[in-house]
Amino acid sequence: MEELLIDKDISACQRKLSPEEYCQLEENILRDGEVIDELIVWRGKNMLVDGENRYSIAKKHKLKYRIREVDFDDKKAVLDWVVKHQLGRRNLDGIAASLLRARVAAEEETVALAAEKVGVSRRQMFRDKSVAATVDDLPEDLKERLNQGSLIASGRSMTKLSQLSDVEKKKVYHALRSDATKSLDDVLPAKKKSSFTERESEIIKQAVSPRIRRSLECGTIVATSADIRKLDTLPDHAKETINTLLEMGDVESL
């Protein structure tokens, strides 16, 4: 059988297996004596669309495998299919899903279009973009550990990491390197609550919803005293607009 082509862009959309997961998949395939699940191939291009891990194991052990050819109009259609297929997998973790959705956001004109395309809220899509940017900024050794599954992290912990100063981030990186058994959540500093004056708290209470107020108080949504004083000078319709934007996730600071 002719060797299948591997495209780097398509490969980048695939969920990377941890060493343990790859070994388990290899054991299962060897037990069965063949690759049971079909490999998806772009018809006419001989390009592998889904099943890269199974294909590598089959080649390594010279095992049989079956392919199913599918028609695609172009490479973008292939990538769209791969992203939707990967997002539908039960074993796709939070960060992997965020990275895939962030890829969609990078290709669409607006966050709203990207969110609609993959079936999530705009707030979630903004979180996904933040997670992807934080992963991209990780030191290469920690990024590699994350991709391999030896560094445990959640989308929420990545969001918390993105809000730290450069000095705090370096401390987190040092802690992760010092003890490889610790997850990102284990080494993140405790979140400090914002300390507002009584007057500032009253302005916030009058201007935004209870949920946004809690986000401001815990620092999830950033606001300075100057921001809050300015908020107090705005007309009611402007306050309503700001509250709506914060609720929808279109902005993450006051």
Side-chain angles (χ1 to χ4, degrees):
M1 186 177 292
E2 186 179 357
E3 186 165 345
L4 300 176
L5 302 177
I6 305 294
D7 180 85
K8 61 184 177 81
D9 294 326
I10 297 174
S11 182
C13 288
Q14 309 283 347
R15 174 181 178 268
K16 301 298 184 274
L17 298 182
S18 68
E20 293 78 13
E21 289 174 319
Y22 188 90
C23 286
Q24 184 60 61
L25 177 62
E26 187 171 30
E27 287 179 12
N28 293 344
I29 290 175
L30 289 174
R31 180 195 61 211
D32 296 330
E34 63 177 334
V35 177
I36 294 178
D37 294 330
E38 295 175 324
L39 308 181
I40 305 300
V41 174
W42 186 357
R43 191 190 305 276
K45 300 287 186 179
N46 199 43
M47 188 174 292
L48 186 61
V49 174
D50 182 65
E52 188 173 326
N53 292 307
R54 284 170 280 146
Y55 180 56
S56 69
I57 293 169
K59 285 204 306 178
K60 176 182 175 182
H61 297 285
K62 296 181 172 54
L63 297 175
K64 293 180 181 180
Y65 60 87
R66 293 173 294 112
I67 67 170
R68 177 162 64 90
E69 293 187 304
V70 177
D71 292 313
F72 294 99
D73 292 335
D74 49 31
K75 188 173 175 179
K76 184 179 184 304
V78 175
L79 294 175
D80 286 345
W81 185 95
V82 172
V83 168
K84 289 180 180 178
H85 185 69
Q86 289 291 316
L87 288 173
R89 291 183 181 274
R90 293 181 180 178
N91 62 347
L92 192 70
D93 63 35
I95 290 182
S98 287
L99 295 178
L100 280 178
R101 290 192 292 259
R103 287 179 65 93
V104 176
E107 295 170 358
E108 295 294 333
E109 292 183 6
T110 66
V111 168
L113 286 174
E116 183 179 357
K117 187 172 185 177
V118 297
V120 297
S121 67
R122 282 188 287 178
R123 176 179 289 276
Q124 180 61 56
M125 187 58 77
F126 273 106
R127 289 196 192 101
D128 293 333
K129 291 181 66 177
S130 175
V131 168
T134 306
V135 170
D136 192 52
D137 286 341
L138 283 175
E140 288 302 319
D141 61 319
L142 297 181
K143 190 185 301 183
E144 182 65 22
R145 282 175 53 191
L146 184 68
N147 290 334
Q148 292 178 348
S150 60
L151 171 57
I152 305 301
S154 63
R156 185 178 295 276
S157 63
M158 278 294 171
T159 299
K160 291 179 180 178
L161 178 63
S162 70
Q163 297 167 349
L164 300 181
S165 67
D166 289 342
V167 172
E168 290 174 317
K169 286 179 181 177
K170 287 181 179 179
K171 291 180 180 178
V172 169
Y173 301 155
H174 176 73
L176 290 173
R177 291 179 177 122
S178 298
D179 188 346
T181 66
K182 290 189 177 297
S183 69
L184 179 56
D185 274 311
D186 291 334
V187 300
L188 283 171
K191 187 70 177 180
K192 296 179 181 178
K193 288 192 174 182
S194 300
S195 54
F196 296 122
T197 65
E198 185 176 338
R199 175 55 184 156
E200 289 168 348
S201 295
E202 185 61 28
I203 292 171
I204 292 171
K205 183 178 180 181
Q206 296 298 324
V208 299
S209 68
R211 188 173 71 82
I212 298 302
R213 175 165 55 86
R214 289 193 295 272
S215 295
L216 286 165
E217 289 172 347
C218 72
T220 304
I221 296 177
V222 180
T224 65
S225 294
D227 292 332
I228 297 169
R229 288 196 299 271
K230 187 173 182 180
L231 179 65
D232 192 35
T233 66
L234 298 178
D236 288 343
H237 72 272
K239 292 178 183 178
E240 290 176 3
T241 299
I242 290 173
N243 189 74
T244 299
L245 291 173
L246 291 170
E247 286 281 0
M248 295 175 66
D250 287 352
V251 291
E252 295 185 348
S253 65
L254 189 56

